[in-house]
Amino acid sequence: MGVGFGSLCLVMGGILKKRRKIRLHKKFFKRNGGLLLQQQMFAKEDSLQNTKIFTSKELDKATDYFNKNRVVGQGTVYKGMLDDGRIVAVKRSTGMVAENVEKFINEVVILSRINHRNVVKLLGCCLETEVPLLVYEFIPNGTIFQYLHDQSEEFKMSWETRLRIAKESAEALSYLHSSASIPIFIIETSREKPVSFERGDNRRGLASRFIDSMEENRVLDIVDDRVMEQARPEELMMVAKLAYQCLSLSRRKRPTMKDVSLELEQILSMQKDLISSSRDSTYFQQLQLLILQVLFPEK
């Protein structure tokens, strides 16, 4: 009888624990705006229908219960695999309070509608955890931040690659500004961090430092040494003038991101033509040398 009673207590304890967990999940789901998101999803017949509300059980399994070995980036993002085999990035949302629930849900709705090859896709979210979890497609090659700031001597980013990143970033921003269902505006920054305490008190802001350098006609002095080794001065000045226009305090003087992407495309084309002509020149030099060796072989 004692063994039977103990087993019954264990079973009842497990059931009660499971029920408490379910109640807690429902509490978090409601607090994190789950009901509001469901209303938005049912009310709109658009791409929001593809957005999924994940359960905590699904994401626990996908991330091996948020195993530390799955951490990527800055520590709040975990690599995971869904049951259908898709690799995802699961991000813990931070700093959300009850007053911001409606704003958070609106942002989820907006981000779910974004569909651009240069913008990471939001696949869905989980709202039955203490803090919301956002599920994105996983990008295996790292972030732009890592490419710009964590470069090693073995991998030096070329001037052509930097131009391509700038152009594709401008294309993505143009899409967010003009083609998304609701215009989205964000702040991006070229290779230095936007604010650095390693610079002097008056030069901590990269934007103000750059503007001062342009107006004092010494902008090439602050260009990354790696860029100076590869880019022509005229190309650098074209990009610098474009950036200077983008930082204008007058809205009318600032170019649209579409204009920026088009101009960067032109500069990138110039760079490709230069590389092509350089290769052609090398090829013809080698060919001429070969002809001379055939016609006038050494004795």
Side-chain angles (χ1 to χ4, degrees):
M1 289 181 64
V3 172
F5 181 73
S7 299
L8 180 62
C9 287
L10 288 174
V11 171
M12 290 300 296
I15 293 174
L16 291 174
K17 183 178 180 180
K18 186 175 182 180
R19 286 180 177 177
R20 282 197 299 268
K21 188 175 183 179
I22 292 173
R23 286 198 298 268
L24 189 61
H25 285 172
K26 289 182 177 179
K27 175 185 174 182
F28 288 146
F29 185 82
K30 183 177 180 180
R31 189 185 71 182
N32 291 330
L35 299 179
L36 178 59
L37 180 58
Q38 285 180 334
Q39 290 174 1
Q40 297 261 24
M41 292 175 69
F42 291 136
K44 300 182 183 297
E45 295 292 335
D46 56 14
S47 58
L48 188 59
Q49 294 296 324
N50 297 323
T51 303
K52 181 175 179 180
I53 299 180
F54 293 89
T55 65
S56 60
K57 184 177 180 180
E58 286 179 293
L59 298 188
D60 282 342
K61 181 179 178 182
T63 61
D64 190 20
Y65 294 91
F66 295 90
N67 192 315
K68 292 182 179 180
N69 294 329
R70 299 289 188 93
V71 172
V72 295
Q74 301 301 313
T76 60
V77 180
Y78 296 78
K79 182 179 179 181
M81 185 174 72
L82 302 178
D83 287 337
D84 60 9
R86 282 183 296 171
I87 305 300
V88 296
V90 181
K91 180 178 180 180
R92 292 183 185 272
S93 180
T94 58
M96 196 187 84
V97 294
E99 294 78 13
N100 294 328
V101 167
E102 186 172 353
K103 179 182 177 183
F104 169 76
I105 294 300
N106 286 336
E107 289 179 353
V108 170
V109 170
I110 292 171
L111 292 175
S112 297
R113 292 173 176 159
I114 294 175
N115 185 20
H116 189 276
R117 64 189 182 92
N118 293 326
V119 180
V120 178
K121 177 70 175 175
L122 177 66
L123 302 177
C125 62
C126 174
L127 302 174
E128 59 182 29
T129 49
E130 186 173 5
V131 295
L133 301 173
L134 300 176
V135 182
Y136 292 90
E137 63 175 331
F138 183 78
I139 306 300
N141 295 327
T143 66
I144 292 179
F145 184 92
Q146 291 171 326
Y147 273 92
L148 293 178
H149 300 288
D150 298 337
Q151 296 185 56
S152 64
E153 289 301 318
E154 297 178 359
F155 176 76
K156 295 182 179 180
M157 189 182 299
S158 69
W159 171 236
E160 182 183 356
T161 299
R162 295 172 193 244
L163 283 176
R164 182 173 55 80
I165 289 175
K167 179 187 77 75
E168 294 183 359
S169 297
E171 289 174 347
L173 290 172
S174 177
Y175 167 83
L176 295 177
H177 291 176
S178 308
S179 301
S181 56
I182 298 177
I184 301 172
F185 297 91
I186 58 178
I187 298 175
E188 292 287 341
T189 60
S190 309
R191 162 127 155 67
E192 281 201 53
K193 297 178 182 179
V195 177
S196 174
F197 292 96
E198 295 177 1
R199 295 190 286 264
D201 292 339
N202 298 326
R203 298 298 176 96
R204 288 179 179 173
L206 176 60
S208 59
R209 181 180 177 222
F210 169 76
I211 290 173
D212 289 344
S213 299
M214 280 291 289
E215 294 176 348
E216 295 169 7
N217 198 28
R218 52 177 187 80
V219 70
L220 295 182
D221 294 342
I222 69 169
V223 175
D224 192 325
D225 291 339
R226 301 171 189 175
V227 173
M228 289 296 294
E229 294 174 358
Q230 302 176 21
R232 294 183 298 175
E234 55 267 34
E235 290 177 346
L236 290 173
M237 289 309 302
M238 290 175 70
V239 175
K241 288 177 180 178
L242 183 60
Y244 185 71
Q245 293 172 359
C246 291
L247 292 171
S248 174
L249 295 178
S250 173
R251 181 180 179 183
R252 291 178 297 180
K253 294 182 180 180
R254 291 196 299 269
T256 65
M257 282 296 109
K258 180 65 175 178
D259 293 334
V260 172
S261 65
L262 289 174
E263 187 157 349
L264 288 171
E265 174 65 36
Q266 292 179 351
I267 300 172
L268 188 58
S269 297
M270 291 170 52
Q271 175 68 13
K272 290 179 179 178
D273 291 342
L274 179 65
I275 293 174
S276 178
S277 62
S278 175
R279 287 173 180 168
D280 290 343
S281 176
T282 302
Y283 169 77
F284 284 119
Q285 288 175 358
Q286 292 175 341
L287 182 60
Q288 289 173 348
L289 189 60
L290 179 60
I291 293 173
L292 288 173
Q293 289 175 345
V294 172
L295 295 176
F296 305 102
E298 294 183 0
K299 294 182 181 180

